[in-house]
Amino acid sequence: MIPFSVLDLSPVVRGATPGDALRHSRDLAIHAESLGYHRYWLAEHHNMTGIASAATAVVIGYVAEATRTIRVGSGGIMLPNHAPLVIAEQFGTLASLYPGRIDLGLGRAPGTDQGTARALRRAMGPSDDRFPDDVLELQHYLGPLKPGQTVRAVPGMDTNVPLWLLGSSLFSARLAAELGLPFAFASHFAPDLMMKALEVYRTMFRPSEVLETPYAMLGINVVAADTDEEARRLFTSQQQAFWNLRRGAPGQLPPPVNTLDGVWTPMEKAQVDHALSCAVVGSPDSVRDGLAAFVERTGADELIITAQIFDHEARKHSYTLVAAQRERLAEAAA
């Protein structure tokens, strides 16, 4: 069975603080490591009261310090917000402290609204204008010293931190294929182009020094509980949060409710259901069947699982159930 990993948005639940969220992220990473998850990624977002991982490199260090074997990285760093040298130094430092365990996933969106993007001192032209060049520059800083090179990342130089390209469209799929890099698709919130992006990435892939064959990881929402009914109830937190974001009113992660009837219109429900269609929600048996079907349909090389669950212990329990079902799938495959 393919590896399972964790994508953590470090959710700040209603009534809690960012400090609570970050401590929960650290605890969840320790738990995920004990369950055999392959990597633990954190995402860069800004000006969102429901997400605590804005200073992503700092949070990665906090999580890596508490763990020993699991890979820790970014899903992702929004590269247009930063000078490549700064990111090379940050992740070179992380790789120096936690060798062989740091991943650097890169996105080309700002991860926020336009006003906040300006406050980040980000150039406001199209985000893909410099993205390919910035990726190459970053790769240059993390590689070996070249003759005549005067600008170096210290730490960073010759750490060769693995780079991933992240995307929700075809742009990063093409670029990852061209550069021979691993590719992660954001199917957990933007499923429309998932199959086409996989086709583009796999057919256009050029082998590189870091990767001989294409390697695609897919994001998927998974909420597992002891019963289908309880899992569906837990999932309402993520449904509410996603709709609030679409309405332009993001906030802290709301508690689950027994029903969303009367909260949204049928059209609103259809929009959220479509955006979150790459979701597996249910009891252990339901989750096992759903994950098996998703892997068979996509041919994913790895799944990165996100679960926006209000109660921290319920979230940990969900990842426990998912890990157990992965083992059952592996036994069946063997």
Side-chain angles (χ1 to χ4, degrees):
M1 189 55 185
I2 63 173
F4 284 9
S5 294
V6 177
L7 173 61
D8 180 16
L9 300 184
S10 200
V12 184
V13 303
R14 188 172 296 168
T17 68
D20 296 327
L22 294 170
R23 285 184 285 273
H24 284 162
S25 288
R26 181 177 167 117
D27 184 58
L28 181 61
I30 295 169
H31 184 64
E33 181 177 73
S34 74
L35 295 170
Y37 284 91
H38 184 50
R39 62 183 97 239
Y40 195 96
W41 280 9
L42 295 129
E44 177 187 346
H45 293 84
H46 300 280
N47 195 29
M48 293 189 181
T49 57
I51 298 177
S53 52
T56 315
V58 177
V59 185
I60 289 170
Y62 179 64
V63 168
E65 180 64 25
T67 52
R68 293 293 175 266
T69 58
I70 196 169
R71 299 191 65 86
V72 188
S74 60
I77 289 292
M78 300 297 104
L79 189 54
N81 293 340
H82 311 280
L85 178 60
V86 172
I87 299 303
E89 291 171 340
Q90 290 177 359
F91 278 78
T93 300
L94 290 167
S96 299
L97 291 170
Y98 312 104
R101 293 180 54 210
I102 301 299
D103 295 326
L104 176 48
L106 301 169
R108 67 185 185 98
T112 186
D113 58 90
Q114 293 298 302
T116 307
R118 291 188 183 91
L120 288 164
R121 306 295 192 269
R122 177 177 177 267
M124 296 307 295
S127 62
D128 56 352
D129 278 357
R130 279 200 49 82
F131 184 71
D133 292 335
D134 284 349
V135 172
L136 291 174
E137 184 179 348
L138 178 56
Q139 200 170 34
H140 167 74
Y141 288 136
L142 293 170
L145 184 67
K146 301 291 179 60
Q149 181 178 342
T150 57
V151 179
R152 294 165 288 178
V154 184
M157 181 177 57
D158 212 21
T159 56
N160 300 296
V161 177
L163 298 186
W164 290 68
L165 294 192
L166 281 54
S168 58
S169 67
L170 304 185
F171 181 92
S172 290
R174 292 191 187 97
L175 184 59
E178 179 182 337
L179 299 180
L181 294 174
F183 176 57
F185 190 80
S187 35
H188 58 294
F189 71 85
D192 287 350
L193 292 174
M194 175 181 69
M195 297 306 295
K196 182 63 177 177
L198 289 173
E199 179 187 358
V200 166
Y201 173 61
R202 288 165 175 160
T203 57
M204 296 180 64
F205 183 84
R206 300 177 185 174
S208 68
E209 292 182 359
V210 298
L211 197 61
E212 293 184 358
T213 58
Y215 192 94
M217 179 165 63
L218 299 180
I220 183 170
N221 304 286
V222 184
V223 175
D226 295 329
T227 66
D228 288 336
E229 181 181 22
E230 175 60 12
R232 287 192 293 267
R233 190 185 75 87
L234 294 175
F235 189 51
T236 61
S237 291
Q238 186 166 353
Q239 291 171 308
Q240 293 175 79
F242 195 85
W243 180 243
N244 288 337
L245 180 63
R246 283 290 177 94
R247 290 192 301 115
Q252 295 180 324
L253 186 69
V257 294
N258 292 328
T259 180
L260 287 168
D261 292 344
V263 176
W264 51 16
T265 68
M267 181 178 292
E268 292 167 347
K269 179 182 185 301
Q271 291 174 349
V272 173
D273 287 347
H274 176 75
L276 301 180
S277 60
C278 288
V280 176
V281 179
S283 65
D285 287 346
S286 298
V287 164
R288 183 177 67 254
D289 293 344
L291 289 172
F294 186 75
V295 172
E296 183 177 3
R297 176 163 69 97
T298 62
D301 298 296
E302 186 172 338
L303 296 184
I304 188 159
I305 294 166
T306 185
Q308 297 289 83
I309 297 174
F310 183 84
D311 180 78
H312 180 58
E313 293 303 319
R315 192 173 183 225
K316 290 172 64 177
H317 184 54
S318 178
Y319 279 105
T320 299
L321 295 176
V322 171
Q325 297 316 304
R326 183 196 172 279
E327 293 305 310
R328 291 190 61 182
L329 289 168
E331 291 169 2

